[in-house]
Amino acid sequence: MNCVYITNITPLLKPDVYKYYYDKTDINRQQKADKLILPIDKARSIGLGALLRFAIEDSTDYKYENLSFKTMENGKPYIEGNPFYFSLSHSGDYAVCAISDTPVGIDIELDKELSTLVKKRFAENMLEWTKREAKGKLTGNGFFDKTEDTFIYSHKETDGYIITVCSDKKFDNFYTYHLPFPC
């Protein structure tokens, strides 16, 4: 079940496509999108919700509408009872979702040169940056997580973006889907 789903969210900039997927996401995701101002930000948020729904129904035996989504105090989302784990990320035109039977974190970033200050203080390159983000999402401790790192990192580059998955298992299954996909 260790899979990564990738999609370009730009079709959600069309009002009819956005409305279709908005109606297919849970109330929490809808409320989050409703608070956003820019259409691209709304598209990213709803794109993540739609991709999560598709990923769950594609890779598990669960029905999205039968799951109860919760948020930990640190903001990390989870499914009540933890029947499986997931992690979400978006950057630019892309949204990604990792589904696993063990805790997982994922990050996607446009592969660009980091500033000298960022390189000096945080990460030498975007791959290191995505590793830190993915680990922080897995642990729930964020970008500055200082816990011992014994995790396995899986990477993929697509259309100028770097995707990094952090888990205790290697991820080889990266699937790209194009909207519209069934929900």
Side-chain angles (χ1 to χ4, degrees), residues 3-139:
C3 302
V4 174
Y5 294 82
I6 307 161
T7 197
N8 184 309
I9 56 85
T10 56
L12 291 162
L13 294 171
K14 296 177 184 172
D16 58 329
V17 176
Y18 179 85
K19 173 84 168 98
Y20 174 80
Y21 287 105
Y22 180 94
D23 291 343
K24 300 289 185 182
T25 61
D26 66 274
I27 187 73
N28 294 328
R29 177 63 55 184
Q30 291 173 349
Q31 290 172 346
K32 187 173 185 175
D34 290 344
K35 292 178 186 174
L36 300 169
I37 296 169
L38 298 176
I40 189 69
D41 293 332
K42 290 177 175 285
R44 287 182 191 121
S45 183
I46 293 302
L48 280 175
L51 189 59
L52 176 61
R53 180 186 187 117
F54 179 75
I56 287 170
E57 294 188 354
D58 186 63
S59 64
T60 75
D61 292 332
Y62 293 91
K63 288 286 184 199
Y64 180 86
E65 60 270 359
N66 294 338
L67 298 171
S68 178
F69 293 89
K70 304 289 183 185
T71 304
M72 295 180 186
E73 286 181 25
N74 61 10
K76 181 176 179 168
Y78 70 98
I79 298 169
E80 191 171 50
N82 290 326
F84 57 88
Y85 301 87
F86 71 94
S87 183
L88 304 169
S89 183
H90 61 72
S91 177
D93 294 341
Y94 284 88
V96 293
C97 173
I99 300 281
S100 182
D101 52 4
T102 62
V104 62
I106 192 169
D107 189 46
I108 182 172
E109 298 292 341
L110 182 62
D111 189 11
K112 62 183 179 190
E113 185 71 23
L114 298 173
S115 72
T116 303
L117 179 62
V118 169
K119 286 181 180 180
K120 187 175 180 180
R121 296 184 72 197
F122 304 114
E124 283 293 315
N125 54 48
M126 198 53 75
L127 180 60
E128 282 185 39
W129 184 278
T130 61
K131 284 176 70 173
R132 288 185 70 165
E133 287 274 5
K135 178 186 176 195
K137 288 181 179 184
L138 179 143
T139 65

